[in-house]
Amino acid sequence: MEAALLRELAQGVRAGDADDAGAAEVFARSAWSLVSEPGDGMAGLLVGCLGAVPALEAVIARRPADMLAREILSVAGDVALPEPADLEEQVRHALERWRPRLASAEVVTALRQARRVTARLLIPGDPEWPEGVDDLGPHAPLALWCRGEDRALAALGRSIALVGARAASGYGEHLAMEASAGLVDRGFAIVSGAAYGIDGMAHRAALASRGSTVAFLAGGVDRFYPAAHDALLTRIVESGAVLSELPCGAAPTKWRFLQRNRLIAAASQATVVLEAGWRSGSLNTAGHAAALGRPLGAVPGPVTSPTSAGCHRLIREYQAECVTNAAEMAELVGPVMDAGAGQPTLFDASGPTSDQVRVLDALSTRSSRSIKDIAARSGMSPFAVRGALGALELEGTVAERATGWVRASRTSR
Amino acid sequence: MEAALLRELAQGVRAGDADDAGAAEVFARSAWSLVSEPGDGMAGLLVGCLGAVPALEAVIARRPADMLAREILSVAGDVALPEPADLEEQVRHALERWRPRLASAEVVTALRQARRVTARLLIPGDPEWPEGVDDLGPHAPLALWCRGEDRALAALGRSIALVGARAASGYGEHLAMEASAGLVDRGFAIVSGAAYGIDGMAHRAALASRGSTVAFLAGGVDRFYPAAHDALLTRIVESGAVLSELPCGAAPTKWRFLQRNRLIAAASQATVVLEAGWRSGSLNTAGHAAALGRPLGAVPGPVTSPTSAGCHRLIREYQAECVTNAAEMAELVGPVMDAGAGQPTLFDASGPTSDQVRVLDALSTRSSRSIKDIAARSGMSPFAVRGALGALELEGTVAERATGWVRASRTSR
């Protein structure tokens, strides 16, 4: 392809000028996002080993699978790889699935459509690139299409994903609103998937709180899905960011929703499931977070509510942390430093001591009692009774009369 | 005291004849339950080392603290004890708290009152003695007063404590009813404290399901507390059992409620908190269960409900298991053996494979598509497409037409 066309296409989707090598890289990564489906580990491996441009050229030139496998083996270094024969077989299958999609006209169309909607192409190494997704290894996205603000991308460094059921209950929507607003107040960006229910409410509350919010889509960023969230996504573009690894024109499919979930989990520091049925798709996002070693939280709800069953399942079976408010969600990312106090205890240390409880049990608000009487009633020694009474007198809980001790009535304090 | 009187008193509260030694033991343990408050570790230590009768005689004879400490040290064996000087000091304090309560007339009164309400005295080693409480060590009860059926005591060997807030919500009462009935169906006895709210509902549902239920009281078994549960406790006596370590005539005090909770936790195989405020007394029962190493469960609820805050606290801070139904509560005691299947997974193995999802995404119910077209749309190799189509065709999910493949519409299957 002509260098001039490549430069023109690159300039449409990148800030600043691109040199010829840069323009070729933009074209190649765009092409890769068209020929391989999201999460294609072999595409990630080949691009990682050879580079996006040489890898694409190898596919176009119909380089044989055995040769490509040898090239991978010679540069892969300490990357865990299958046995050479298996690798060659996998490369062969990959070439078979990529070749039917090779069509440079479609790449050009996607890049022009991106320019039309002012979508930019992010590639690994860009300052705006969300570093978290690199933890996906060979399954990391090869490029990301972005509409929105750079500062929303920078805010991903301190972000929490709020996900949950599309068919959320009123309880779930309330949770999403409280959680999103509370996390924004604590300086977090809110990551979600722009779906109906929990996702939409999480984005909306973040916008209403003037926080950063980032939506990952399962199709191209030129066509918002679901269509009814067009206005919401337009508002997210204005102050946050809408991202996708799929080129403009790509339709969302079930597979792409599942793969999109891995980006939500990887781009944020922790994932919280607010409401989810027993087989909710948000459990898939939770599974990705757990696989990445990201902290995972789930909000409990009534055990009688099917839309909380998935959350309880995550707590019971997948060691998700039980989180009940925004403060606890924030703690998933790191301990709160201002707490100061030690571990809380079931036996409240600030309340009365055992001896004091027993002395109070033995006192009356009406008739005064002697130390000896209190000792007999409480089953304590007179010495211990005197000690407890002294502390309680300081608090004003008991009082000494001429005839003995009484418990101060609440109204008299 | 005369041997004849001792025998008469013992016969009033024991099944069968008692010899002189047995009668003295009954009297001494009754006396100990009057002079020491529940959970008095020094009383437990002294009775454990010397025996109930010699220990009582030593207190009556005003044996000095240093001599008693030496006696304890000479027989304690491998029991963990404080330094000799500290032990002597603790014995001195204990003698000071026991002596003001020494009054054999009160023991006689308590035993006669027990006979009047047909309460029996259980002592450690009796066949009906609930073995679980022995795990409390020196804090184990020295005797238990019982009204009810022996078979309910035997049923404690497979029992779960259901506890929770007095001020239960409708949600909490529903949980208590479902949990109690479900556990009775699984062969468990229900242990609780006969309080308002969760406790009462747990007992009631167990009775309604014709199950065994045992109530532990914080005062004597001759006066039921709370008074409004008199009819309920009378029904529990008829088919279950009501137990207390306090002699007849003893009033419930706050201290005794806290100590009663340790018996509920110790007598049952697991404790489940159904609903509890942030500082609910039932957290104290949970703390005892945890300290004893008994399995502890808590039922989640709406995070907006203050009566579930204690349950979430137990799950978050005290490693309580999140349990949502009777089956999961039963699992606390031991794994259910009929499950058969392995660990469940977030990625449901019985659903379509990844390839199948992608092929289905690429198909239409209306227009038929070629293998090559499906390969391009799904980003898969034609070989893999054929494999997935084959499996889906067997399921009837896809069909081959003269012009290619279609997705079977739901109505046509």
Side-chain angles (χ1 to χ4, degrees), chain B residues 54-309:
Chain B
L56 185 67
E57 286 169 351
V59 178
I60 293 171
R62 298 192 154 264
R63 191 127 14 117
D66 58 343
M67 198 187 291
L68 280 174
R70 278 200 301 277
E71 284 188 58
I72 291 171
L73 286 167
S74 68
V75 297
D78 56 357
V79 175
L81 287 179
E83 290 298 302
D86 293 339
L87 179 66
E88 189 186 319
E89 181 76 3
Q90 288 173 22
V91 172
R92 195 184 327 279
H93 281 151
L95 291 170
E96 284 174 24
R97 65 176 178 257
W98 297 334
R99 282 192 184 125
R101 285 186 161 188
L102 267 180
S104 64
E106 286 187 23
V107 185
V108 174
T109 305
L111 283 164
R112 289 202 162 134
Q113 173 67 358
R115 174 186 216 163
R116 203 164 298 132
V117 298
T118 58
R120 280 165 305 133
L121 184 72
L122 305 178
I123 62 180
D126 283 348
E128 304 88 4
W129 183 257
E131 283 180 11
V133 301
D134 292 336
D135 291 347
L136 292 163
H139 304 286
L142 299 170
L144 284 170
W145 303 86
C146 169
R147 289 173 72 183
E149 297 292 313
D150 280 353
R151 65 166 191 278
L153 296 173
L156 285 174
R158 183 170 165 83
S159 63
I160 289 186
L162 296 179
V163 298
R166 285 176 172 74
S169 71
Y171 171 68
E173 294 194 339
H174 169 82
L175 292 180
M177 211 141 55
E178 292 284 319
S180 182
L183 288 171
V184 163
D185 286 349
R186 287 167 176 81
F188 285 93
I190 304 301
V191 178
S192 198
Y196 290 122
I198 299 295
D199 287 23
M201 197 56 81
H203 289 302
R204 275 196 191 91
L207 291 171
S209 308
R210 304 186 170 276
S212 283
T213 191
V214 175
F216 280 91
L217 300 188
V221 293
D222 57 325
R223 47 153 111 175
F224 289 152
Y225 182 93
H229 277 182
D230 196 78
L232 170 62
L233 283 158
T234 302
R235 285 176 59 211
I236 295 175
V237 166
E238 284 164 12
S239 71
V242 176
L243 292 173
S244 175
E245 62 186 312
L246 286 143
C248 287
T253 62
K254 189 170 178 195
W255 174 257
R256 290 169 183 172
F257 277 113
L258 292 172
Q259 291 302 310
R260 181 276 309 268
N261 291 343
R262 88 191 194 290
L263 299 185
I264 291 176
S268 50
Q269 289 185 281
T271 293
V272 176
V273 181
L274 296 171
E275 202 174 39
W278 186 255
R279 292 178 183 282
S280 166
S282 48
L283 301 191
N284 171 262
T285 313
H288 283 300
L292 286 163
R294 295 276 196 283
L296 172 63
V299 181
V303 299
T304 46
S305 164
T307 46
S308 285

Side-chain angles (χ1 to χ4, degrees), chain A residues 360 363-369 374 389 397-401 403-409:
Chain A
L360 286 171
L363 284 174
S364 157
T365 51
R366 278 165 290 176
S367 50
S368 59
R369 288 177 180 160
I374 300 165
L389 283 171
T397 321
V398 302
E400 194 174 9
R401 304 260 176 274
T403 48
W405 291 84
V406 293
R407 186 168 180 164
S409 63

Side-chain angles (χ1 to χ4, degrees), chain B residues 363-369 401 403 405-409:
Chain B
L363 284 174
S364 156
T365 51
R366 277 165 292 177
S367 51
S368 58
R369 288 176 180 159
R401 305 259 176 274
T403 48
W405 291 84
V406 293
R407 187 169 179 162
S409 62

Side-chain angles (χ1 to χ4, degrees), chain A residues 37 93 96-97 100-101 171 174-175 253-255 279 283-284 287 299-304 312-313 315-318 321-324 328 331 344-348 354 357-358 361 376-383, chain B residues 37 93 96-97 100-101 171 174-175 253-255 279 283-284 287 299-304 312-313 315-318 321-324 328 331 344-348 354 357-358 361 376-383:
Chain A
E37 278 293 310
H93 281 152
E96 284 174 25
R97 63 177 179 258
R101 285 187 161 187
Y171 171 70
H174 168 83
L175 291 180
T253 61
K254 189 170 178 192
W255 174 257
R279 293 180 182 280
L283 300 191
N284 172 261
V299 181
V303 299
T304 47
H312 298 147
R313 190 180 177 196
I315 294 169
R316 278 180 59 77
E317 298 175 12
Y318 301 95
E321 188 83 12
C322 170
V323 288
T324 68
E328 291 171 2
E331 275 175 46
T345 136
L346 277 184
F347 307 96
D348 186 15
S354 298
V357 168
R358 289 166 67 169
D361 281 341
R377 285 172 184 271
S378 65
M380 291 165 62
S381 71
F383 177 83
Chain B
E37 278 292 311
H93 281 151
E96 284 174 24
R97 65 176 178 257
R101 285 186 161 188
Y171 171 68
H174 169 82
L175 292 180
T253 62
K254 189 170 178 195
W255 174 257
R279 292 178 183 282
L283 301 191
N284 171 262
V299 181
V303 299
T304 46
H312 298 146
R313 190 179 177 196
I315 295 169
R316 278 181 59 77
E317 300 176 11
Y318 301 95
E321 188 83 13
C322 171
V323 288
T324 68
E328 291 171 3
E331 275 177 45
T345 134
L346 279 182
F347 308 96
D348 186 16
S354 299
V357 168
R358 289 166 68 169
D361 281 341
R377 286 172 183 269
S378 64
M380 291 165 60
S381 70
F383 177 82

Side-chain angles (χ1 to χ4, degrees), chain B residues 9-80:
Chain B
L9 292 170
Q11 273 167 12
V13 296
R14 300 282 286 176
D17 271 344
D19 59 13
D20 285 355
E25 182 81 11
V26 166
F27 184 87
R29 291 207 171 249
S30 305
W32 273 112
S33 70
L34 266 164
V35 301
S36 68
E37 278 292 311
D40 186 327
M42 187 50 73
L45 183 64
L46 196 66
V47 169
C49 287
L50 275 61
V53 176
L56 185 67
E57 286 169 351
V59 178
I60 293 171
R62 298 192 154 264
R63 191 127 14 117
D66 58 343
M67 198 187 291
L68 280 174
R70 278 200 301 277
E71 284 188 58
I72 291 171
L73 286 167
S74 68
V75 297
D78 56 357
V79 175

